[in-house]
Amino acid sequence: MSCIRIGLVGIGKIARDQHLPVIAANPDYRLAAVASRQGHVDGVPTFPNLTALLAGAGDVDAISLCTPPQARHALARQALEAGKHVMLEKPPGATLTEVYDLIDLARAKGLALLATWHSRYAPAVEPARSWLLGKKLLRVHVCWKEDVRHWHPGQEWIWAPGGLGVFDPGINALSIITHLLPNALIVDKATLEVPANRQAPIAATLEMHDHQGLAVTAEFDWRQTGPQTWDIIIETDQGTLTLSRGGAVMSIDGVAQIEQKEQEYTHLYALFARLVAERRVDADLAPLRIVADAYMLGRWVRVEDFVE
């Protein structure tokens, strides 16, 4: 397979922390252009927007979108219409319909489309999935709590409609459990705590089940200070599995089994290269469906103003 000439749209924190170093380290890719209103990458042609990038660097093979989700559908559709393969940061869109539209378009044009769920590639997730095989699942609980001031300082888009609020990190946990558990999850109840001066939740609790009666609960909170909590606890008839640190650590009955450095985006870009070669779509929307169901069924509770 020839080197994939890729354009990166949106040069913010996630692009600099993850996408740029992984692209640079992968011989399957060459960073051919970037588009950003403010950011730039030394030595790489920089354009103010995707339209300018496609006009000035039209020989790119693929576009990786690192913009906020509210703008992602229009950009992805523009790239696909121009014949470019597309990688979508998570969440893949602001609504389900947006992403279904992109799936249909990519398939119609024979182009690759990847809706990324980076947390599924945390080092302990696949070992956890293997350990759970053949065991009876009794209960599942997700506790995902972090400090929004640390992880998203000044990012107003995340509080706007389509920004998902606390579900922006919470969807990482949902992407893991929908990968680990054998059946679809149905949302029974949800409570969404929304600051009076914001339009998206700062905290949420969910109660879910599958068709076999497995109870799954989740609590997400953006007000945690001190140590951050990213845990998934799965009780089985043969012991309790705990994934902690976002899936980097797996413990059985409190004894650590796996603890490794994450390489989530390395795996994502390797997958995208395969999809480009095969011109395939990989877009599992199960995590985003749970968020949509929580928004539809949820009880909205106004809480005190959030101040940075």
Side-chain angles (χ1 to χ4, degrees), residues 38 60-61 79 92 128 154 176 180 195 246 289:
Q38 297 176 328
V60 296
D61 304 301
I176 293 174
L180 293 179
R289 282 200 302 268

Side-chain angles (χ1 to χ4, degrees), residues 174-221:
L174 297 176
S175 75
I176 293 174
I177 63 172
T178 53
H179 183 62
L180 293 179
L181 303 180
N183 303 313
L185 295 177
I186 298 168
V187 177
D188 299 308
K189 296 180 181 178
T191 300
L192 311 181
E193 297 183 32
V194 184
N197 62 338
R198 306 288 167 163
Q199 299 181 72
I202 197 169
T205 57
L206 275 64
E207 297 179 22
M208 300 168 276
H209 75 279
D210 74 0
H211 74 271
Q212 294 182 322
L214 175 67
V216 180
T217 54
E219 50 182 330
F220 306 116
D221 203 317

